[in-house]
Amino acid sequence: MPLHMRLPKLRGPLAKTAMPIGPFRTHTTPVNLDRLAGFGKGEVVSPEALLAKGIIKKADEKVKILGNGELTQPLTIKAHGFSASALAKIQAAGGTAEVIA
């Protein structure tokens, strides 16, 4: 019998590079641009407005705007994050994107 046994590599939630679990995990709710079609020209789209329209379920959710779909009217969009394609489409439509801290 060998004096010291080899141990397998550390995998799963104990590894340094593993995803955080539980209260330390950050989560954002994705919202595509095509879901914002119900807003009128020049309206301010915020998490509170998305909650009022039923697009998100909770007021304390962090929202990230994704670029799936087209934006036809200029909107002022306030969210916690934006994808690069969403930013390009918002600016092309004449709108503004504001990041909420």
Side-chain angles (χ1 to χ4, degrees):
M1 179 164 212
L3 294 176
H4 39 288
M5 300 194 52
R6 295 186 64 169
L7 294 174
K9 280 189 171 182
L10 195 60
R11 298 184 191 276
L14 301 176
K16 283 185 182 177
T17 58
M19 289 287 295
I21 295 177
F24 304 109
R25 178 173 286 202
T26 57
H27 178 73
T28 57
T29 303
V31 176
N32 284 311
L33 285 177
D34 56 2
R35 300 288 309 270
L36 304 180
F39 289 93
K41 182 177 182 181
E43 269 190 80
V44 176
V45 179
S46 64
E48 293 81 18
L50 294 172
L51 180 67
K53 293 246 184 192
I55 296 175
I56 61 174
K57 295 185 191 286
K58 291 186 260 180
D60 59 345
E61 292 180 12
K62 291 188 175 187
V63 178
K64 182 171 184 177
I65 306 296
L66 302 180
N68 190 9
E70 293 299 323
L71 196 61
T72 55
Q73 67 269 7
L75 297 172
T76 300
I77 302 174
K78 297 180 181 182
H80 298 92
F82 295 90
S83 69
S85 62
L87 273 175
K89 289 180 182 182
I90 292 167
Q91 291 168 350
T96 58
E98 297 177 21
V99 178
I100 301 172

